[in-house]
Amino acid sequence: MLPLYYLQWHITHACNLRCAHCYQREYKSHMPREKLFQALDQFGELIAGQEVQGQINLTGGEPLLHPDFFPLAEEIRRRGYRLGILTNGTLVDRDMAVRLASLSPVFVQVSLDGTEAVHDSIRGEGSFERAVSGIDALKRSKVKVLVSFTAQKSNAGELAALARFCGRHRVDKLWWDRVVSEDPALYVTTGQFRALVETTNALRKKKWFPGSRRFVSNGRALQFGDAGTDDVYRCSAGQRLLVLLADGSLMPCRRLPFVIGNIREASMKEITEHSELMAELRRPRIPKGCERCPKLPRCGGGSKCVTFARTGELYCRDVNCFYQDRHIPEKECRKSRETPGQPGYTVPAAKEVQE
């Protein structure tokens, strides 16, 4: 099987929710229909000859609010790309679920941030009930459903209850990751993070998701340590992942605040081939504090986006790594900016960088 090259495509910034941890600043931009298909052409040009399989994950905002969602999704499938759909689930009724099933997506992902009261405190009153109704409609239409849980200080104790709930609703996979936000009060502590890891391992052993097709995943969130699984995630920003926003901005990762270009001014291929940041992200580096760690070959140092948000440094050990003998003080990860491509280079900590 060919390796996957992912395009996370925010086709609209419009959204019917206002989540407390959302990193979006405006809620109006749509990518016009003609630009959608031009962007799809550019993605094909980008991956041509790379010996990869393209996967396009449509998201937003709320992607189902885009008036051309279905024509685009149908064209993605017609061209042979894998299709993922990331939604808050609140707009999915029986008819919508049937239409989504007709696209044969590899998954539809719905966000749940805890049980009802906690979820609604983060995403808005009534959003939990509507999202769960959407999940049930998707499962009745035989769609593979993933639930994404964004771990933050206020909901860190919710994972076990949410896993049981997802099991009852036949969710195929529950996975979690840590919040990235401008508000430091939202971040989980290392103690909370370790408890989440231990809870996840216990959930897997107890098979609270019965059957071989349904499971709780900590691969993406963990990135180091004893995951109880072989699916430990390595950051793929700058390698086989691109993010396209509704205004045409191109990024190596949605949770790293760097814009490398705009497809209205140059093609995806041109932008990625000439981006110093993309080249820097592809260059092998050993993060500070990971030099002697036996877990490094598996995790690559952990989550760049979480660590950068907390320290302003891309190449420092994960801020929640609980291998205490490998720790260095967080303040030591803050470095002066040097020349791109040189040892110790730190990308400017501005919210957007246009190369």
Side-chain angles (χ1 to χ4, degrees), residues 1-7 43 47 50-56 76-77 79-83 240:
M1 181 178 176
L2 293 173
L4 296 175
Y5 195 116
Y6 294 95
L7 177 66
F43 182 65
I47 67 172
Q50 289 198 41
E51 298 296 324
V52 294
Q53 167 70 52
Q55 176 164 325
I56 298 177
I76 288 170
R77 296 295 294 124
R79 297 192 189 192
Y81 300 129
R82 291 162 52 105
L83 173 67
R240 294 196 304 273

Side-chain angles (χ1 to χ4, degrees), residues 33-280:
R33 182 173 183 141
E34 65 276 12
K35 298 296 183 184
L36 292 174
F37 290 93
Q38 289 173 14
L40 194 53
D41 291 339
Q42 289 190 25
F43 182 65
E45 177 190 14
L46 172 69
I47 67 172
Q50 289 198 41
E51 298 296 324
V52 294
Q53 167 70 52
Q55 176 164 325
I56 298 177
N57 295 334
L58 296 181
T59 184
E62 172 49 55
L64 298 180
L65 289 174
H66 197 295
D68 295 308
F69 171 85
F70 280 100
L72 175 63
E74 289 163 358
E75 182 64 14
I76 288 170
R77 296 295 294 124
R78 190 189 71 79
R79 297 192 189 192
Y81 300 129
R82 291 162 52 105
L83 173 67
I85 300 166
L86 283 61
T87 172
N88 60 41
T90 62
L91 302 179
V92 179
D93 56 15
R94 181 181 62 182
D95 292 340
M96 178 64 77
V98 170
R99 291 192 73 185
L100 293 173
S102 72
L103 299 169
S104 300
V106 291
F107 63 79
V108 174
Q109 177 179 294
V110 178
S111 298
L112 291 179
D113 287 332
T115 51
E116 185 167 7
V118 175
H119 175 94
D120 282 0
S121 71
I122 294 170
R123 294 185 178 261
E125 186 175 356
S127 60
F128 182 87
E129 183 178 356
R130 286 179 285 151
V132 172
S133 177
I135 289 171
D136 291 341
L138 289 165
K139 291 308 301 177
R140 285 193 294 270
S141 293
K142 297 180 170 47
V143 175
K144 181 177 181 178
V145 175
L146 278 56
V147 163
S148 169
F149 172 74
T150 302
Q152 48 199 287
K153 191 169 290 185
S154 64
N155 70 354
E158 289 282 293
L159 185 61
L162 181 61
R164 290 191 291 267
F165 181 89
C166 288
R168 292 195 298 271
H169 287 262
R170 300 182 298 125
V171 169
D172 295 277
K173 178 179 178 179
L174 167 63
W175 72 277
W176 60 273
D177 207 347
R178 289 164 287 172
V179 70
V180 171
S181 172
E182 296 176 349
D183 183 359
L186 297 180
Y187 290 122
V188 296
T189 65
T190 296
Q192 287 178 314
F193 178 67
R194 186 165 192 169
L196 281 161
V197 171
E198 292 170 352
T199 297
T200 306
N201 287 337
L203 288 168
R204 293 173 66 92
K205 290 175 183 177
K206 291 182 179 179
K207 302 188 186 328
W208 284 359
F209 268 24
S212 61
R213 291 180 60 252
R214 296 198 287 274
F215 63 99
V216 183
S217 172
N218 56 356
R220 171 68 181 267
L222 184 61
Q223 302 187 330
F224 50 78
D226 180 14
T229 176
D230 290 329
D231 67 346
V232 175
Y233 175 86
R234 287 179 66 98
C235 176
S236 57
Q239 300 175 50
R240 294 196 304 273
L241 168 67
L242 277 178
V243 173
L244 179 61
L245 302 187
D247 64 0
S249 297
L250 202 63
M251 307 174 74
C253 169
R254 186 62 183 92
R255 306 203 313 162
L256 283 173
F258 310 122
V259 175
I260 60 172
N262 193 296
I263 64 167
R264 296 175 181 175
E265 301 167 1
S267 71
M268 289 185 197
K269 186 175 182 180
E270 292 169 332
I271 292 169
T272 56
E273 286 181 348
H274 294 94
S275 168
E276 292 185 28
L277 176 58
M278 294 290 283
E280 174 69 16

